[in-house]
Amino acid sequence: VLARAGTALGLELSIEGTPEYALRPEPRLVLPGLTVRQPGASAPLLQASQAEISLPWRTLWRAEEVVVTRIALVRPRLDMAALSQWLRERPASGEPFTLPTITQGVHASGGEVTGATWSLRDLELALPELRPGAPATLDASGRFLQKDLALDVAAQLALATAGLASDYTLQASGRIAKGTLDRPYALDAKGRFDARGPVPELQANTLRLRSQSPLPDLDAKGAVS
């Protein structure tokens, strides 16, 4: 399974430990010590102490139907530099992006994302269900760190239609700490994003930030590409 998945993705997938599997009521695979890296790369793209995937039998028999029951990751660690390198070297398929159906969602606990000058720690993700073209809601929490800035966040992102383009609603709250500053904040935003073209676009029709002095209250709208 790892060899076939790695060949399809252009990645090396390996595990450390004894995997577990079950065939009833449907195929379920638990992989300990998962490491994913680009061939020849020194740093792994993704590591997880455990990865679990379950899928219905019909997905195995009907290749045109991509349906997964559940994906769960325990302590995943994602390296953004390695991910960007892999994405840059992926061949252009010319085929439209196909979003899978995940009937019982995606869950991650104790995660970490590492960038060049920042990191996101204690990441918790819960996506209860994913169906192409249907509404989707992602709950996430974690701690963003960059030099002496610490941003604790608990957020919910709601999409009108799951896919590469959708209206969205974002609600987030937490605390901002930098030096002697430590203040609560709340953020609400509504708009639309479109990542179907070569230049992704994000529009905020409304953006509302509330905090305490010396941080400002802010009402705005705008766009970024």
Side-chain angles (χ1 to χ4, degrees):
V1 170
L2 292 177
R4 292 183 63 181
T7 299
L9 296 170
L11 294 168
E12 294 177 351
L13 284 72
S14 62
I15 60 173
E16 185 175 349
T18 303
E20 302 176 16
Y21 70 91
L23 300 179
R24 294 182 179 179
E26 62 184 12
R28 173 178 174 268
L29 188 63
V30 178
L31 303 172
L34 175 67
T35 297
V36 180
R37 71 173 71 236
Q38 190 175 10
S42 58
L45 184 155
L46 173 68
Q47 293 178 295
S49 61
Q50 179 177 292
E52 174 189 339
I53 182 171
S54 54
L55 65 163
W57 283 105
R58 67 179 185 272
T59 296
L60 297 179
W61 309 137
R62 298 173 60 187
E64 71 277 5
E65 185 178 15
V66 184
V67 178
V68 177
T69 300
R70 184 173 187 267
I71 298 174
L73 298 173
V74 178
R75 290 190 293 277
R77 298 187 301 276
L78 178 66
D79 187 310
M80 289 301 297
L83 173 64
S84 298
Q85 182 65 30
W86 173 67
L87 291 174
R88 283 195 298 270
E89 297 184 10
R90 290 287 292 160
S93 64
E95 299 178 358
F97 173 77
T98 301
L99 194 72
T101 295
I102 308 178
T103 58
Q104 295 182 20
V106 179
H107 304 267
S109 60
E112 181 176 343
V113 181
T114 303
T117 61
W118 57 270
S119 65
L120 181 60
R121 300 181 184 176
D122 303 323
L123 181 62
E124 305 284 328
L125 295 175
L127 177 67
E129 184 180 41
L130 182 66
R131 297 181 184 274
T137 301
L138 172 69
D139 290 291
S141 63
R143 191 167 211 227
F144 177 85
L145 301 172
Q146 187 175 37
K147 296 183 179 180
D148 62 343
L149 171 67
L151 179 67
D152 293 317
V153 59
Q156 184 178 83
L157 174 66
L159 303 182
T161 53
L164 294 182
S166 173
D167 293 336
Y168 72 88
T169 300
L170 173 66
Q171 295 180 317
S173 62
R175 298 193 71 87
I176 300 176
K178 182 178 176 65
T180 60
L181 176 71
D182 188 347
R183 295 291 187 271
Y185 73 91
L187 174 69
D188 294 277
K190 294 181 180 180
R192 182 172 179 81
F193 72 88
D194 191 339
R196 293 172 296 185
V199 180
E201 297 179 352
L202 176 67
Q203 181 171 345
N205 297 329
T206 63
L207 188 150
R208 172 187 168 105
L209 175 67
R210 293 296 180 264
S211 188
Q212 295 177 358
S213 180
L215 296 178
D217 288 343
L218 174 68
D219 292 277
K221 61 182 179 180
V224 62
S225 60

